């Protein structure tokens, strides 16, 4: 069975890749470069993306006849990983996403308040472990 840290790292890497793909789509749709006017709409998309991932993971990990899912990550941890990963990716294109990054930071603070200290340590370890990952060598 996988450890909580391994699962969190896999989820975080998944969101990093989603963030890269998100940037590519936004860049193509908005060739003018500035996304400030779209920031609230894009934030809604990011939040739905994290929520959708969580719901799919819970459903997929449930076995027939089992009342408890094998996916035990809390919604708040998953949401934090999602927002942090998107923020990390979009930070590299800062000038294009200033307003969206501010919205992400504000939401991260709100979500982090709902996470206990043990889980905050898990999140810190997850980000630290993934930072050395080859996923960050991908050009986007």
């Amino acid at each position: 069975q996988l450890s909580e840290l391994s699962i969190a790292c896999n989820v975080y890497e998944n969101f990093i890749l989603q963030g890269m793909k998100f940037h590519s789509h936004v860049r193509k749709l908005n060739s003018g470069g500035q996304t400030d006017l779209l920031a609230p709409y894009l934030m809604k998309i990011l939040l739905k993306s994290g929520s959708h991932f969580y719901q799919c993971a819970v459903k997929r990990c449930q076995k027939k006849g089992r009342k408890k899912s094998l996916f035990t990550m809390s919604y708040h941890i998953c949401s934090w990983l999602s927002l942090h990963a998107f923020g990390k990716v979009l930070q590299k294109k800062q000038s294009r996403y200033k307003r969206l990054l501010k919205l992400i930071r504000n939401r991260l603070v709100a979500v982090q308040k709902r996470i206990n200290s043990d889980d905050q340590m898990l999140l810190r370890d997850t980000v630290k472990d993934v930072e050395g990952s080859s996923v960050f060598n991908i050009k986007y």
Side-chain angles (χ1 to χ4, degrees):
Q1 190 170 8
L2 292 172
S3 71
E4 281 185 333
L5 181 59
S6 295
I7 293 169
C9 287
N10 288 334
V11 169
Y12 188 64
E13 283 184 345
N14 178 31
F15 285 129
I16 292 287
L17 293 171
Q18 281 185 31
M20 291 174 181
K21 190 172 182 179
F22 175 83
H23 164 69
S24 296
H25 289 301
V26 170
R27 189 181 68 219
K28 295 253 193 264
L29 290 172
N30 188 23
S31 58
Q34 289 298 329
T35 58
D36 279 356
L37 296 175
L38 297 173
Y41 174 72
L42 295 175
M43 184 63 180
K44 221 182 239 189
I45 292 171
L46 296 183
L47 293 172
K48 284 188 178 191
S49 173
S51 177
H52 180 73
F53 174 87
Y54 180 79
Q55 290 170 357
C56 288
V58 168
K59 282 182 185 177
R60 175 127 326 172
C61 292
Q62 285 177 335
K63 288 188 174 180
K64 282 187 176 181
R66 265 191 117 158
K67 291 183 180 179
K68 189 175 180 185
S69 172
L70 295 175
F71 185 76
T72 58
M73 181 180 288
S74 78
Y75 175 77
H76 297 301
I77 291 174
C78 191
S79 180
W80 190 94
L81 289 170
S82 168
L83 290 167
H84 192 274
F86 276 102
K88 188 93 168 159
V89 169
L90 300 179
Q91 187 72 31
K92 290 186 178 182
K93 312 295 182 184
Q94 228 177 59
S95 61
R96 186 179 292 232
Y97 297 109
K98 282 182 184 178
R99 187 168 175 212
L100 180 58
L101 285 166
K102 185 176 181 180
L103 293 173
I104 290 171
R105 280 191 296 274
N106 290 342
R107 185 56 71 107
L108 267 172
V109 169
V111 170
Q112 190 157 355
K113 289 178 182 177
R114 297 179 175 183
I115 299 173
N116 68 43
S117 59
D118 288 341
D119 288 337
Q120 286 184 19
M121 285 176 42
L122 171 69
L123 295 174
R124 188 192 69 227
D125 293 344
T126 300
V127 171
K128 187 178 176 183
D129 283 4
V130 173
E131 279 179 351
S133 169
S134 61
V135 75
F136 286 106
N137 295 335
I138 298 171
K139 302 287 184 209
Y140 58 96

